[in-house]
Amino acid sequence: MLFGDLLFPIVSLGVAVILFEGGLTLRLHEIREQRRALRKLLTIGVLVTWGIVTAGAHYIMDFSWELALLFGALMTVTGPTVIKPLLRTIRPKPEIANILHWEGIILDVLGAILIVLVYQSIVSGQAELAVPVTLAFMVVTGIVMGAAGAWFLAFLLRRHLLPHYLHHVFSLALVLMVFALSNTLVHESGLLAVTLMGMMLANMKGIDIEDILFFKESLSVLLISVLFVILAARLEIQPLLDLGWAALAMLALILFIARPLSVFAATAGSQLKWRSRLLLSWVAPRGIVAAAVSALFAIRLEEFGFAEATLLVPVTFLVIIGTVLLHGLTARPLANWLKVTEPEPNGILVLGANPLARAIATALNSQGIITRLADTGWENVRRARMAGLDSYFGRIVSDHADRNLNLTGIGKLLALSPNSLLNALAVMSYKNEFGAENIYYLMNSSEESSEEERGRHFRFTGKRLFSEEATYASLAELMSEGAQVHTTKLTTEFDFSDYRKQYRNEAVLLFAIDPNEKLHFFTAGGRLLPEPGWLLTALLPEDVLAETQAEEESNAGSNDRIVVQEKAVGKESKVAD
C-alpha cells in the first residue's frame, strides 16, 4: 500500500478539515423555525434508520448482529459534502435546505460517535454501563476542546494579533492541532471538537471569517476528491458481486424504507407540509465520512476475526454511489413536481438608496422586478421606504449584512453608490454570490473612467452600466436638474432608431425588457439593440423631455408615433440575462 500506516491518519485529518468547514457554515438563525423538526431528525430519525438498516443487514445480507449494528450506524451518516452541491442544483425552499444542510453536518459528527461506540463495544466487549461513560467523556472533551479552539482563534482575530496573510494557514494548523489533541485525550472526540469549533466561530459577533471560509471551502473540495480516489483504490469489487441481489436489496431498503420512515416519524406534528417532508425523505446521500470510517474499521475488525468485515467497504461504496446517482438525477425533477423549489433569483440588490438608485429601482419595480436597496445613510433609506421601496440600512459588506440582509430571490447586484471604495468592495464580495456575469457597477466620476482607475477599483470583474460616458456624478447632476426615468414601448412604427431621433440621442439608456420578459441592462461596450415589442427605460433630461412633450401635444391627433409610457406594475418578475 502506498501510504502504509499513514493512510488512516491522513484520512482522519482530511475529514476533520471537511467537518470544520461545514461547521463554519452553520448559522443558528437559519434553523430557528425548524429547530424542532431537526432535533427529532437527529434523534428519532437516527434511531429509526439505525434499527431498520441493522435488521436488513442481518436478515438480507446475513451479517452477524454485531456487524449489522455497526453497518446500521454507518448508514445513519448523510453526506454534507454531496448535499451542498445537490442543494445548489435543487434550490429547495429555505426550510428544506436548512434542515438538509444542518442534518448532514451534525449527523457526520453524531454518526461518527455512534459508530465509534458500537465499534468499541464489539472489539472490547464493554459492559452496557461503560458505553454511556465513554460517550460522556467523548462529548465533554469534544465540547471543551472545540470551545477552547474557537475562543483562541477569535481572540487573535479580534485583537488583530495575527497577520492577515497568515489567517488561512494558522486556522488550518489550529484545526489540526485541536483535532489531534482532542483525540489524544479521548479517542475519536476530535470530530466533535472541530465541528463545534467551526460552528462557534460562525456564530460569534465581530469575527470576520469570510476569507477563512473561502479557503476552507476550496481545500475541502480538494480533500474530498483526493480521499474518494484513495479510498476507492482500496475497494475490492468481487465480494460485492458475490452478494448479488442482496446488496441491491439493501440499497433499496435504505432508499425506499429506512429514510422515508425516519423522516415521516421525525416530522410528525411539525409545521412542515407533506411536500417538504416527501422531498426530505428522498434526499439523503452518503459521503466521505461513511467511506472513510467503513474503510478504517473494516481492517480493524478483520484483525479481531470478523471475516464479514471485508464486505463493509464495498457495500458502503455501493450505497454512496447509488444514493448520489439517484438523488442527483431525480431530486431536482421531484422538487419541481412537488413545487418546493425557490423561484429563479431574478431580483436585484441595489447598492445605494440615493435619488438615482431610487428612480431606477422604482422603474424596475414597475416592471415587476424585485429590488432591495442598501445604504449607510439613514435619510436615503428613510426616503426609499417612504417611496415603498424595500431597503436595508447598513453596509452590505459586513457581518451584520451576512446575518440580516435577506437575499431570497435576489440574483444580481447594481452598485450605484457614490462611494467608489464601497462599490469596489461590493463587486468583489458579491461576485461569488451572484456570479461575475450578474454584477453591474456605475463609475463615480469622469476621472475614474480611465482604464487605470477602472482596473484599480473594479479589477474583480463586472459590467459597467449604461455607457462609457455615464458616471454617477453626471447622472446625479441630471437628476438634480429635473431629469426623469421614463419607460417606452417600441413598435414597428416607432422603433429604436426613431426613439433615438426623437430624444436627439440624449436619452441615457438604462435597461430594456424583451417580449419574453427578460431583463437587459445597457452596458459600456455592449451592443444591445431593442426591437419592436420591447419596453425601453431611459433617463431623459428635462429640456429634452419638455421639448418632446411639447411636440407630441402639438402633433396630437396626426402623429401616429406618439411615445407611450408603459405602467407594468403587478407583472411577475422577469428573468434577467
Side-chain angles (χ1 to χ4, degrees):
M1 186 184 295
L2 179 61
F3 294 101
D5 293 338
L6 292 177
L7 173 62
F8 292 109
I10 291 174
V11 171
S12 298
L13 291 174
V15 172
V17 174
I18 293 168
L19 291 183
F20 174 71
E21 184 268 326
L24 286 176
T25 64
L26 294 179
R27 310 277 183 165
L28 291 175
H29 68 276
E30 295 177 349
I31 201 63
R32 287 172 185 166
E33 295 181 1
Q34 302 300 332
R35 188 176 299 170
R36 181 182 177 186
L38 178 64
R39 185 170 59 247
K40 288 187 174 181
L41 268 177
L42 298 175
T43 52
I44 297 174
V46 168
L47 292 175
V48 171
T49 301
W50 189 19
I52 293 175
V53 176
T54 296
H58 178 70
Y59 291 108
I60 296 175
M61 301 177 61
D62 201 27
F63 280 5
S64 64
W65 279 112
E66 293 88 347
L67 200 60
L69 283 168
L70 182 62
F71 182 73
L74 275 169
M75 292 301 102
T76 63
V77 179
T78 58
T81 54
V82 286
I83 283 178
K84 288 174 67 176
L86 269 180
L87 293 179
R88 294 192 185 102
T89 302
I90 301 171
R91 296 186 58 80
K93 291 183 177 180
E95 60 182 14
I96 302 173
N98 290 334
I99 288 176
L100 286 173
H101 178 58
W102 276 74
E103 181 195 24
I105 297 294
I106 297 176
L107 269 186
D108 259 5
V109 179
L110 293 182
I113 293 174
L114 178 61
I115 294 165
V116 170
L117 289 175
V118 174
Y119 167 76
Q120 290 182 342
S121 299
I122 293 173
V123 300
S124 62
Q126 288 180 331
E128 293 182 0
L129 292 178
V131 174
V133 174
T134 302
L135 176 61
F137 276 113
M138 190 181 299
V139 171
V140 170
T141 303
I143 292 175
V144 172
M145 293 302 300
W151 177 87
F152 180 63
L153 184 56
F155 175 82
L156 296 178
L157 294 177
R158 281 199 180 103
R159 287 160 178 77
H160 307 288
L161 299 176
L162 192 64
H164 187 271
Y165 68 90
L166 289 179
H167 285 189
H168 301 158
V169 177
F170 184 84
S171 63
L172 175 61
L174 183 60
V175 168
L176 297 181
M177 185 182 73
V178 168
F179 174 75
L181 184 56
S182 183
N183 272 349
T184 301
L185 295 175
V186 177
H187 190 54
E188 303 299 343
S189 63
L191 293 180
L192 176 60
V194 295
T195 305
L196 287 177
M197 180 180 170
M199 182 176 170
M200 292 179 69
L201 284 170
N203 291 278
M204 286 182 178
K205 295 182 179 180
I207 301 296
D208 183 11
I209 61 170
E210 292 304 314
D211 287 343
I212 296 175
L213 178 58
F214 181 74
F215 171 70
K216 293 297 187 295
E217 286 179 340
S218 303
L219 185 59
S220 292
V221 172
L222 176 63
L223 287 173
I224 292 165
S225 303
V226 171
L227 291 178
F228 265 120
V229 171
I230 292 174
L231 294 174
R234 301 184 65 258
L235 182 63
E236 295 182 8
I237 199 66
Q238 190 57 46
L240 187 61
L241 295 177
D242 293 339
L243 281 174
W245 291 104
L248 295 178
M250 192 70 241
L251 175 61
L253 178 74
I254 294 170
L255 285 170
F256 301 110
I257 298 178
R259 177 63 178 181
L261 284 180
S262 67
V263 169
F264 277 89
T267 57
S270 69
Q271 297 177 348
L272 289 172
K273 297 181 179 179
W274 71 269
R275 296 174 183 271
S276 299
R277 295 164 70 188
L278 189 58
L279 183 62
L280 284 173
S281 69
W282 178 240
V283 180
R286 273 61 179 181
I288 190 61
V289 172
V293 176
S294 65
L296 173 63
F297 289 153
I299 291 179
R300 295 182 179 177
L301 287 173
E302 285 182 62
E303 295 174 354
F304 282 94
F306 288 88
E308 304 157 315
T310 56
L311 296 174
L312 275 180
V313 176
V315 175
T316 300
F317 265 87
L318 174 66
V319 174
I320 292 172
I321 295 170
T323 54
V324 170
L325 282 178
L326 288 174
H327 296 157
L329 293 174
T330 62
R332 176 68 180 182
L334 177 62
N336 289 335
W337 180 71
L338 293 172
K339 298 180 180 180
V340 292
T341 56
E342 281 285 284
E344 290 297 322
N346 304 319
I348 299 173
L349 176 62
V350 182
L351 174 56
N354 48 69
L356 174 64
R358 295 199 299 269
I360 293 175
T362 300
L364 289 167
N365 287 353
S366 71
Q367 304 300 326
I369 299 169
I370 298 172
T371 60
R372 187 159 296 124
L373 284 70
D375 204 299
T376 56
W378 172 246
E379 182 62 24
N380 282 337
V381 172
R382 185 184 68 84
R383 289 180 179 274
R385 291 177 179 176
M386 289 180 63
L389 298 171
D390 186 2
S391 57
Y392 166 78
F393 177 51
R395 292 185 180 274
I396 65 171
V397 183
S398 65
D399 289 338
H400 186 271
D402 289 341
R403 294 189 297 269
N404 298 283
L405 179 57
N406 182 11
L407 295 180
T408 302
I410 302 296
K412 287 179 173 55
L413 171 71
L414 293 187
L416 302 178
S417 165
N419 186 328
S420 59
L421 177 59
L422 186 58
N423 282 347
L425 289 173
V427 167
M428 178 175 63
S429 177
Y430 284 85
K431 182 188 73 172
N432 292 326
E433 181 77 27
F434 300 142
E437 70 279 4
N438 295 314
I439 300 294
Y440 300 86
Y441 61 87
L442 181 64
M443 297 303 298
N444 296 84
S445 66
S446 58
E447 289 79 9
E448 294 178 345
S449 298
S450 67
E451 290 295 329
E452 180 181 353
E453 290 293 328
R454 190 187 320 166
R456 185 198 311 170
H457 292 298
F458 295 101
R459 59 185 178 276
F460 292 98
T461 311
K463 300 177 183 178
R464 181 177 174 181
L465 283 168
F466 311 139
S467 68
E468 293 286 350
E469 297 77 22
T471 65
Y472 176 83
S474 64
L475 299 188
E477 183 178 359
L478 284 176
M479 292 285 296
S480 66
E481 293 173 352
Q484 298 179 22
V485 175
H486 273 231
T487 299
T488 303
K489 185 172 185 179
L490 302 180
T491 65
T492 53
E493 293 80 17
F494 185 73
D495 59 18
F496 187 49
S497 61
D498 296 324
Y499 178 92
R500 297 183 72 92
K501 289 178 183 177
Q502 176 162 320
Y503 293 110
R504 306 198 306 267
N505 289 325
E506 294 186 30
V508 180
L509 302 175
L510 303 178
F511 62 88
I513 296 175
D514 64 24
N516 294 323
E517 300 187 336
K518 289 185 178 181
L519 172 65
H520 308 262
F521 282 104
F522 287 91
T523 58
R527 298 182 179 180
L528 182 61
L529 294 175
E531 299 177 357
W534 288 44
L535 290 174
L536 180 60
T537 299
L539 180 64
L540 303 179
E542 183 183 30
D543 57 340
V544 175
L545 184 60
E547 292 180 11
T548 303
Q549 289 176 341
E551 291 177 4
E552 291 175 0
E553 291 175 0
S554 63
N555 295 332
S558 60
N559 189 349
D560 60 355
R561 298 195 312 177
I562 296 177
V563 177
V564 179
Q565 183 172 341
E566 296 290 333
K567 300 292 184 180
V569 177
K571 287 187 178 181
E572 294 181 357
S573 298
K574 314 300 187 292
V575 178
D577 65 353

